[in-house]
């Protein structure tokens, strides 16, 4: 049996809490991706793998109309509490087509730290192209390939499915490491046009909260984030 990639039960609860304040999510990935999003007021946005709704909540506070989709019922429960009706939330396995969404029905899509969990990425990207309007944008972040290389070792070019044990050792997440050329190559092959690529550094606020994490994340990249356009 294939390992689950969506974060169920205890792992879902753990991630929901961690995403609130973790140096990686709250101070590094999210601020960088939200900067890439720019002005979203009035935009209809699909939050792909919305987790506990942290992005959906920020985007809806900035005036966007958000639909969040997520494969873990545990995380959707957290998202419902966080969003309190301010976004539409759908339980959906991202290995399946986005059958609930009409063609060209979104102005933008956010897919934060989800892509490397998905096996059928070609289908997901083709579906994102379909549901985005022409000229619509896609923001995607993923684990930085050099961070995975540093952590798991072996070849930089490895495409191995790996288990990252999270702090405390009680939980792990299952995802596919991949080199930069695979990540970008798949996005470009799907027809997206690259507009911007950043290697997010933590915001200055992290220095007050956790100086050691701030120093570490300033020096070694943990994520890649890109803004793409659907022609
Ligand atoms: C690192 S979390 C990121 C969550 C959210 N985007 C954020 O940044 O806070 C990865 C998310 O992808 C979801 N996920 C992984 N595989 C999935 C699948 N096959 N279908 C739906 N969701 C999936 C997990 O349940 C989890 O919510």
């Amino acid at each position: 049996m294939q390992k689950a990639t969506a974060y169920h039960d205890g792992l879902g609860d753990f991630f929901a809490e961690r995403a609130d304040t973790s140096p990686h999510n709250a101070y590094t990935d999210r601020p960088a991706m939200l900067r890439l999003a720019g002005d979203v007021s009035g935009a209809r946005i699909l939050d792909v793998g919305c987790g506990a709704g942290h992005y959906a909540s920020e985007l809806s506070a900035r005036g966007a109309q958000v639909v969040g989709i997520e494969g873990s019922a545990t995380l959707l429960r957290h998202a419902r509490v966080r969003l309190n009706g301010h976004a539409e939330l759908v339980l959906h396995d991202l290995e399946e087509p986005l059958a609930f969404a009409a063609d060209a029905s979104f102005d933008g899509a956010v897919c934060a730290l989800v892509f490397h969990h998905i096996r059928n990425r070609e289908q997901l990207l083709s579906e994102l192209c379909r549901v985005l309007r022409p000229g619509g944008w896609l923001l995607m972040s993923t684990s930085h390939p050099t961070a995975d290389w540093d952590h798991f070792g072996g070849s930089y070019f490895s495409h191995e499915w790996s288990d990252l044990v999270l702090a405390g050792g009680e939980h792990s997440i299952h995802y596919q490491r991949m080199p930069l050329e695979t990540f970008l190559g798949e996005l470009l092959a799907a027809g997206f046009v690259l507009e911007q690529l950043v290697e997010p550094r933590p915001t200055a606020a992290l220095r007050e909260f956790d100086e050691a994490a701030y120093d570490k994340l300033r020096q070694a990249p943990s994520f890649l984030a890109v803004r793409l356009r659907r022609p």
Side-chain angles (χ1 to χ4, degrees), residues 170-206:
E170 204 182 319
H171 300 290
S172 66
I173 55 173
H174 189 60
Y175 66 87
Q176 188 175 22
R177 58 186 284 201
M178 65 188 83
L180 177 61
E181 72 177 17
T182 300
F183 174 66
L184 270 187
E186 290 184 5
L187 292 166
L188 300 181
F192 287 99
V193 174
L194 179 63
E195 290 192 333
Q196 215 178 329
L197 180 150
V198 294
E199 296 174 298
R201 269 61 130 211
T203 57
L206 180 59

Side-chain angles (χ1 to χ4, degrees), residues 5-7 15 49 51 55 70-71 75 92-94 112-114 117-118:
T5 54
Y7 298 3
F15 179 77
Y55 272 95
E70 169 56 50
L75 275 166
H92 179 79
D93 181 357
L94 293 169
L113 305 179
V114 174
H117 289 299
I118 304 303

Side-chain angles (χ1 to χ4, degrees), residues 114-118 121 142-149 152 155-162 175-186 224:
V114 174
F115 192 63
H116 50 307
H117 289 299
I118 304 303
R121 294 188 294 270
T142 195
S143 183
H144 199 293
T146 62
D148 286 337
W149 187 27
F152 295 115
S155 166
Y156 167 80
F157 296 104
S158 170
H159 288 81
E160 210 167 359
W161 281 87
S162 307
Y175 66 87
Q176 188 175 22
R177 58 186 284 201
M178 65 188 83
L180 177 61
E181 72 177 17
T182 300
F183 174 66
L184 270 187
E186 290 184 5
L224 276 179

Side-chain angles (χ1 to χ4, degrees), residues 4-8 11-12 15-16 19-20 25 29-30 33 47-56 69-73 75-76 90-96 110-119 141 173-174 223:
T5 54
Y7 298 3
H8 300 288
L11 176 58
F15 179 77
D20 263 347
N25 299 94
D29 174 64
R30 250 184 353 254
M33 287 276 277
D47 185 354
V48 182
C50 67
H54 290 87
Y55 272 95
I69 55 176
E70 169 56 50
S72 156
L75 275 166
L76 264 194
V90 180
L91 183 63
H92 179 79
D93 181 357
L94 293 169
E95 302 293 350
E96 301 298 326
V110 173
C111 185
L113 305 179
V114 174
F115 192 63
H116 50 307
H117 289 299
I118 304 303
R119 290 184 176 83
S141 61
I173 55 173
H174 189 60
F223 302 124

Side-chain angles (χ1 to χ4, degrees), residues 47-114:
D47 185 354
V48 182
C50 67
H54 290 87
Y55 272 95
S57 156
E58 288 280 350
L59 293 165
S60 79
R62 293 166 193 214
Q65 186 197 336
V66 184
V67 177
I69 55 176
E70 169 56 50
S72 156
T74 312
L75 275 166
L76 264 194
R77 212 168 41 243
H78 286 277
R80 277 202 190 93
V81 171
R82 174 163 287 100
L83 270 308
N84 194 21
H86 291 291
E88 187 186 334
L89 297 170
V90 180
L91 183 63
H92 179 79
D93 181 357
L94 293 169
E95 302 293 350
E96 301 298 326
L98 306 177
F100 60 87
D103 295 0
S105 54
F106 288 93
D107 301 299
V110 173
C111 185
L113 305 179
V114 174

